[in-house]
Amino acid sequence: MVHAQTAPTDESNTTKRPKIALVLSGGGARGAAHVGVIKLLEELRIPIDVIAGTSMGALVGAAYASGTPISELETRFKTTNWNDVFNDASPRQDRSFLRKEEDQVRLLKLEMGVKDYSVRLPAGAISGQKLDGLFSQVTRYAPGFIDFDQLPIPFRAVGTDAESGKMFVFNEGRLADAMRASMSVPGAVAPFEINSRIFLDGGLTRNLPVDVARLLGADIVIAVNIGAGLLKRDELQSVLGVSLQMINILTEQNVRTSIESLKSTDILIAPTLDNIGSTDFNRAAEIINIGEAAARASTSQLSRLSIPEVAYTKYRADLLALRGRPVIEGERIAKIEVTGLERANAEELRRTLDIKPGDPVDFKKLDSGISRVFGMGYFERVNYSLLNDSDLQVLRVNAREKQWGPNYLRVGLSMAADTVGEGRFNLLIRSQQTQFNEAGAEWRNDIQIGRDRRLASRFFQPFGIGSFVSVSPGIELTRRPIDVFFASKRVAQYAVSTSAYSLDFGADINRNSIARVGFVGGNNNASLAIGPDVFPNLKTKQAGFRIRGLYDNLDDPNFTREGRTFSIDYLASMSGLGASSNYRRLELNYGDQISFGRHTISAAYRYGRSFGNALPVFDQFSLGGFLQLSGYRPGELLGNRVTFARLSYYQRLPLTQSVVGSRVFAGFSVEQGKINDTFQLDTTPKSRSSAGVYLGADTAFGPLYMGYGRSRERGSIFYFFLGQP
């Protein structure tokens, strides 16, 4: 344990009244009750001389001790989007395009590292990236390294040393770091490293640190025990839930010891929070009121500690005078420091941050820049401090790279079934080597088994550090089935094998837009698997040029609430370069979403056509399947020209939890499409319509859909999907 001497208090305080300590326990969302207790203490004019806190108690205690008004803490508890705080991911618009491209193959969220010939996992469900941002905001009066005795109210945070298993008391350092270390709930929030020591949640060893307050010289302790809050039965359906419950049980045991150490002159406040769990942050307003009510019930004891109004006014004024001067928005940043990097390039980080010396302090821009840096995908956490150094404002960015990186193993999974066709299953395994060199090169290798088999390798190399231009060579082997239909019945199936190579030159126009041009080549072979032979020229060679452009600012690739996407893909196959035939293929796609409340309206449009000769079977446009003319079988319509439009509506259901998660949607769509220039004798070039309804959920394994489609010509089809339809 590390302890420091308490800063001397005002002499009149030490001679006229006892030294009062406020001890705040951990308990997750239940910690909002601490805010209500402090409100009552201020109302009763009770001075606090020292504060000791654990976990959520450390959050409230550190913020209040550093000078943040309790009214501001109350507002933050009530208005903070806690679901977002406990989700590390940067908004999708802030991610690099390399990271957005991963959405196209629907990788699972789990990211496994490959290091020293072993597979490593992240140390917690979240790293606490956004927690750190919140901590920095509520401790803005004490940025940078500080002696906790020099705070307006001397403070201690309690953590647990992961190697020794013993309590550790933080008495100096970056206040936000001490808060974060104290709040490292095993399994949920990753352990936090400070000075080469790894820390876990303080609740494991001292959830109600009464003894820490005694060591600070407290004569009287006001202890607020909010309890660990045992999880409800429906919250024990996962390994994480069971782990948290085990921790809560262990925590309660050390709390009993702390309570037994209280003296007759101490005061214990225990808000009644029996039906409130440690994750019920949406009930913050209610919890604050319960905390205030519990403190008010102890008014007769607390009133003995009250001081006259004049003395309390002076006490508060003295505290305000001790507050540090925070950097004010609009002041100029004189210097930018980047620390903590091991492999990542500092100049690339600065470019992504997009803040330069001389820029005015803009907290919204700062938060956005930090989010973009985190969105590069290389870091476990990124935080910043604004320091006042001799009236010069210094922006210090600290980035900790992923300890399980930079080489990763990712998995993707998709399954589908319907009432008119065969089931489909694909399993993708991706090996991804990032930060291959200082310019940020990446190498991706994919193996996919199942209905659609695939082996692919692609290397991405920027032209220098910070360059928006890149070169990307790649090879790919695929084997997939293509069904041929007549009168809505499958009459034949071909297995299409492709071996392809490409060399792309690309430009990242911005984080939402890319453009690529390159050479493509390869061989294609369509072998008959089922039914009569329909296609001539089953073996072809491909060689030509391809141009692609993509704009994507969707907030979510699965259940989009806001944003739009536009893509253009043009392929020119040239016999002069070795192709079997000359043809040109153009495809345009556009999607737009707008939301109001829980409701979303989505529109999609697709247009494609060939120029010159007919397209080979492996390059023809198709329609049919869920949300692609839902009343038609998947891939039922094939041709050289396609026009398709869809208008859909969906809403997020008001569920806080279900077996498939809390993000559950219900929706319907109307669809219109047309296929022209088709080899299918029964397919006339007419406009066709369908409608669909569905339930969807954003699960840990990807988007899950159960849908129903209907058309006048084909009747009804029921669908099941895991993965993007």
Side-chain angles (χ1 to χ4, degrees), residues 123-126 184-191 240 243-244 247:
I126 67 168
S184 301
V185 182
V189 185
L240 178 59
S243 298
L244 291 176
I247 294 165

Side-chain angles (χ1 to χ4, degrees), residues 491-507:
V491 296
Q493 184 181 82
Y494 285 83
V496 178
S497 299
T498 299
S499 59
Y501 54 89
S502 64
L503 180 65
D504 286 348
F505 294 89

Side-chain angles (χ1 to χ4, degrees), residues 69-127:
I70 197 63
S71 58
E72 179 183 326
L73 282 176
E74 180 177 16
T75 300
R76 285 193 180 275
F77 264 99
K78 291 178 179 178
T79 60
T80 293
N81 182 343
W82 292 96
N83 287 333
D84 183 60
V85 168
F86 288 102
N87 176 11
D88 283 334
S90 293
R92 191 169 180 273
Q93 295 91 331
D94 287 340
R95 299 179 201 169
S96 67
F97 224 98
L98 278 176
R99 302 288 82 81
K100 288 183 179 180
E101 284 185 323
E102 295 170 1
D103 296 331
Q104 297 174 11
V105 290
R106 308 300 168 190
L107 296 171
L108 302 187
K109 295 178 182 178
L110 177 64
E111 183 181 68
M112 297 172 285
V114 180
K115 197 169 186 178
D116 299 330
Y117 306 102
S118 63
V119 175
R120 300 187 180 187
L121 296 174
I126 67 168
S127 67

Side-chain angles (χ1 to χ4, degrees), residues 265-294:
T265 53
D266 297 329
I267 300 170
L268 175 64
I269 299 173
T272 304
L273 299 164
D274 295 339
N275 67 333
I276 296 176
S278 58
T279 59
D280 289 335
F281 287 95
N282 60 319
R283 300 174 67 179
E286 177 188 353
I287 298 170
I288 290 172
N289 291 335
I290 292 174
E292 184 175 353

Side-chain angles (χ1 to χ4, degrees), residues 42-232:
E42 288 191 350
E43 180 184 319
L44 295 178
R45 303 191 305 276
I46 298 174
I48 302 301
D49 300 300
V50 294
I51 298 176
T54 297
S55 198
M56 188 59 76
L59 186 157
V60 176
Y64 189 67
S66 66
T68 301
I70 197 63
S71 58
E72 179 183 326
L73 282 176
E74 180 177 16
T75 300
R76 285 193 180 275
F77 264 99
K78 291 178 179 178
T79 60
T80 293
N81 182 343
W82 292 96
N83 287 333
D84 183 60
V85 168
F86 288 102
N87 176 11
D88 283 334
S90 293
R92 191 169 180 273
Q93 295 91 331
D94 287 340
R95 299 179 201 169
S96 67
F97 224 98
L98 278 176
R99 302 288 82 81
K100 288 183 179 180
E101 284 185 323
E102 295 170 1
D103 296 331
Q104 297 174 11
V105 290
R106 308 300 168 190
L107 296 171
L108 302 187
K109 295 178 182 178
L110 177 64
E111 183 181 68
M112 297 172 285
V114 180
K115 197 169 186 178
D116 299 330
Y117 306 102
S118 63
V119 175
R120 300 187 180 187
L121 296 174
I126 67 168
S127 67
Q129 167 64 16
K130 294 178 183 175
L131 276 174
D132 192 278
L134 174 64
F135 296 162
S136 296
Q137 292 169 16
V138 299
T139 59
R140 66 186 182 280
Y141 294 105
F145 189 95
I146 191 171
D147 181 342
F148 294 173
D149 285 332
Q150 303 307 312
L151 295 170
I153 302 175
F155 170 74
R156 297 292 184 271
V158 175
T160 299
D161 187 301
E163 294 183 77
S164 68
K166 296 180 179 180
M167 176 177 72
F168 187 94
V169 180
F170 294 93
N171 62 2
E172 64 178 10
R174 184 171 177 263
L175 193 56
D177 286 349
M179 297 160 69
R180 171 63 182 81
S182 182
M183 211 169 160
S184 301
V185 182
V189 185
F192 195 82
E193 184 174 333
I194 301 176
N195 297 330
S196 300
R197 300 182 71 169
I198 300 173
F199 296 101
L200 300 173
D201 193 279
L204 295 172
T205 49
R206 199 75 86 253
N207 200 45
L208 188 66
V210 173
D211 55 341
V212 175
R214 297 269 189 237
L215 289 172
L216 290 172
D219 300 309
I220 293 177
V221 171
I222 300 174
V224 186
N225 178 33
I226 55 175
L230 297 180
L231 300 179
K232 306 177 186 70

